[in-house]
Amino acid sequence: MDRREHWENVYRHKAPTALSWFQPEPAVSLALIARVAPDLGAPIIDVGGGASTLVDRLLDAGHRDVTVLDLSGAALAAAQARLGTRASQVKWVEADVLAAPLAPSSYDVWHDRAVFHFLTDPRDRAAYVAAARATVRPGGHVIVASFALDGPARCSGLEVVRYSPDSMHSQFGSAFRLLDSVRDEHHTPSGATQAFVYCLCRVDG
Ligand SMILES: C[S@@+](CC[C@H](N)C(=O)[O-])C[C@H]1O[C@@H](n2cnc3c(N)ncnc32)[C@H](O)[C@@H]1O
């Protein structure tokens, strides 16, 4: 089964609120985005946003330029259905982040929670970093959240790579300056706890 089929099956067969990564309130992401995007017109992309409630909360906060990209059309359809008429305020991109048609320097903020850590092949990680570097304007920010070193070794039946702030930053390289990191204990809908690490980097010009 390829990547797209895997994720389409996940979202076709389970309610978004039952998925292990579901968060009713994406508090850490919102706080980090508020720090780096006080301008509500700043373009923000949620990469692998799936059916996350982050887009709802960004619209609630008044953000006017939000894109959600995901491989799974079923995930995007679930988010759109939840948003109702507000879905038209969002740009939706159904694509693989490793080959997405994103314009150069078009975003101020690149947000990813629980997508990069699925890239177990170094060539895919290099393609991801090149995409982030090309898509975020110099001076913009990248927020990437993965399982921490003591987080789960697998998610959704797939192997993941776990990171510390330093090992995450070393994947991105010197064009990205690590400004901060936040550890978060995520409580899954079934009651398990998963350790995440969020890294906030600035893209240097
Ligand atoms: C664990 S879920 C996290 C969803 C969301 N970020 C959240 O925090 O609720 C991973 C998401 O990444 C998407 N995804 C996985 N690989 C992808 C890729 N190469 N390009 C775009 N989206 C991808 C999946 O469809 C899924 O929605």
Side-chain angles (χ1 to χ4, degrees):
M1 190 187 300
D2 74 12
R3 239 195 304 250
R4 179 184 299 274
E5 279 178 319
H6 171 85
W7 290 106
E8 283 289 50
N9 273 333
V10 167
Y11 286 102
R12 285 206 185 116
H13 293 109
K14 262 194 161 179
T17 51
L19 297 169
S20 61
W21 51 91
F22 174 73
Q23 294 178 293
E25 296 301 332
V28 178
S29 298
L30 282 172
L32 291 171
I33 292 170
R35 257 171 73 177
V36 298
D39 169 8
L40 297 176
I44 298 170
I45 184 165
D46 189 15
V47 172
S52 166
T53 55
L54 180 63
V55 60
D56 310 47
R57 300 294 173 260
L58 290 172
L59 293 179
D60 293 345
H63 284 281
R64 297 187 299 275
D65 195 341
V66 182
T67 301
V68 181
L69 176 148
D70 204 279
L71 256 186
S72 164
L76 298 179
Q80 289 162 355
R82 190 184 59 233
L83 282 167
T85 54
R86 293 206 299 167
S88 63
Q89 299 171 32
V90 177
K91 294 173 197 140
W92 304 94
V93 181
E94 184 181 331
D96 187 327
V97 64
L98 304 182
L102 299 171
S105 296
S106 50
Y107 288 96
D108 280 11
V109 181
W110 170 290
H111 173 272
D112 158 355
R113 173 174 176 271
V115 185
F116 182 75
H117 68 190
F118 287 109
L119 302 178
T120 53
D121 182 330
R123 287 166 302 187
D124 287 344
R125 292 197 291 273
Y128 178 106
V129 169
R133 178 81 182 88
T135 306
V136 178
R137 69 164 177 80
H141 294 85
V142 171
I143 298 162
V144 180
S146 73
F147 284 152
L149 293 179
D150 57 340
R154 301 177 73 81
C155 176
S156 185
L158 302 174
E159 196 185 328
V160 303
V161 182
R162 293 170 288 183
Y163 293 97
S164 67
D166 284 344
S167 66
M168 169 74 77
H169 181 237
S170 72
Q171 295 292 324
F172 280 77
S174 58
F176 296 78
R177 193 183 319 160
L178 180 63
L179 298 182
D180 203 358
S181 63
V182 178
R183 181 183 165 89
D184 184 47
E185 306 286 338
H186 168 61
H187 302 291
T188 71
S190 63
T193 300
Q194 300 177 331
F196 274 79
V197 62
Y198 290 68
C199 290
L200 170 64
C201 293
R202 198 181 108 101
V203 179
D204 282 339

